[in-house]
Amino acid sequence: LVARADALEIPRETAEDFALVRLACLARVQDPKSYVHLRSAWDGLGIRERDLLMDHFLADGMDQRAYVLEFLPACVQNAQQNKVIGLSLLLEVLVDIICNLHPAVASSPAGEDAKIVPCNLSDLAEFVQVVKNRFIFRTCISRARLRWLGDRLTLEMTGGNWARLNEADSDTTALANTIKEISDRQRELESRLHRNEGPYKLQRVIC
């Protein structure tokens, strides 16, 4: 990771820096300009989302359980090539996936003692390449299913997602997407206020 960070001329001082280096490797970032785009997508997430992704990318599979997200590089590449989706939205969906992995593993004898758990995301990689609606993709994990196949998990997008694959943006979905974005921003602001971070301090909001 240090060598990769040095080659890209990007920071490698903090835990968040190293998480971003891991993500940069998965996203096949080749130059500082591409890293700036990646960093912009990362910074657009809320504090809770960044913390969760940071824990995921830094898990070593020994002290902390590590999830090996197979086909994640394909997901990243396809999201970046899909002008409707982009990297920022993929990272939001990745947070949803990780949040669902924990209970899926805890509730199954196949994974309760495992320190390294593979999860096949090939179905998601195909879906993100062709989906045409941001709200459908943003909420796709609520219609997906995690299934154990031997000692690994597979994320199945299910007919509930594939049936809405070609659904274009409408006034209804655009409104639903806007409401969710406002809700996410409000939660982020509340988190920043709780931590006393961000562009606004508590006293400024009150004033």
Side-chain angles (χ1 to χ4, degrees):
L1 289 180
V2 171
R4 185 63 174 167
D6 289 344
L8 291 172
E9 301 176 355
I10 59 179
R12 53 175 180 83
E13 302 297 328
T14 67
E16 184 177 33
D17 290 339
F18 280 104
L20 278 161
V21 175
R22 286 288 305 276
L23 181 57
C25 292
L26 291 169
R28 296 169 182 162
V29 168
Q30 300 296 323
D31 53 67
K33 182 179 178 180
S34 298
Y35 174 77
V36 170
H37 175 69
L38 175 69
R39 181 73 202 221
S40 176
W42 176 273
D43 289 341
L45 297 171
I47 294 172
R48 182 188 73 87
E49 288 79 10
R50 292 199 302 269
D51 285 347
L52 188 145
L53 288 176
M54 187 166 62
D55 290 343
H56 166 73
F57 286 122
L58 297 181
D60 57 14
M62 294 182 290
D63 295 326
Q64 311 91 17
R65 176 178 287 141
Y67 298 102
V68 180
L69 302 182
E70 300 169 342
F71 296 95
L72 182 56
C75 292
V76 172
Q77 181 179 4
N78 291 344
Q80 290 178 312
Q81 291 176 351
N82 186 333
K83 295 180 180 180
V84 176
I85 305 303
L87 184 56
S88 297
L89 192 52
L90 176 67
L91 292 179
E92 291 183 29
V93 170
L94 183 57
V95 168
D96 287 343
I97 292 172
I98 295 170
C99 287
N100 282 277
L101 284 173
H102 297 313
V105 170
S107 63
S108 172
E112 58 182 356
D113 296 324
K115 283 296 186 180
I116 298 178
V117 179
C119 182
N120 186 323
L121 300 184
S122 59
D123 216 20
L124 178 68
E126 292 184 30
F127 186 74
V128 70
Q129 185 175 27
V130 292
V131 65
K132 299 178 180 179
N133 186 307
R134 285 180 63 82
F135 181 73
I136 298 303
F137 185 69
R138 186 190 289 272
T139 58
C140 68
I141 301 306
S142 66
R143 295 179 295 277
R145 176 175 59 208
L146 283 166
R147 187 159 66 96
W148 283 98
L149 293 175
D151 61 350
R152 70 202 321 107
L153 282 163
T154 295
L155 180 70
E156 299 176 342
M157 298 310 292
T158 77
N161 279 307
W162 291 110
R164 306 184 71 177
L165 181 67
N166 295 312
E167 187 173 316
D169 273 326
S170 64
D171 290 343
T172 302
T173 58
L175 178 60
N177 194 51
T178 300
I179 290 172
K180 190 176 188 311
E181 287 179 350
I182 292 172
S183 177
D184 290 344
R185 289 173 185 171
Q186 181 178 7
R187 188 172 65 248
E188 166 69 1
L189 177 59
E190 290 170 351
S191 180
R192 286 182 178 275
L193 291 174
H194 179 70
R195 291 189 177 195
N196 201 31
E197 294 182 0
Y200 300 103
K201 303 301 182 183
L202 181 60
Q203 62 270 23
R204 288 188 62 187
V205 174
I206 292 174
C207 293

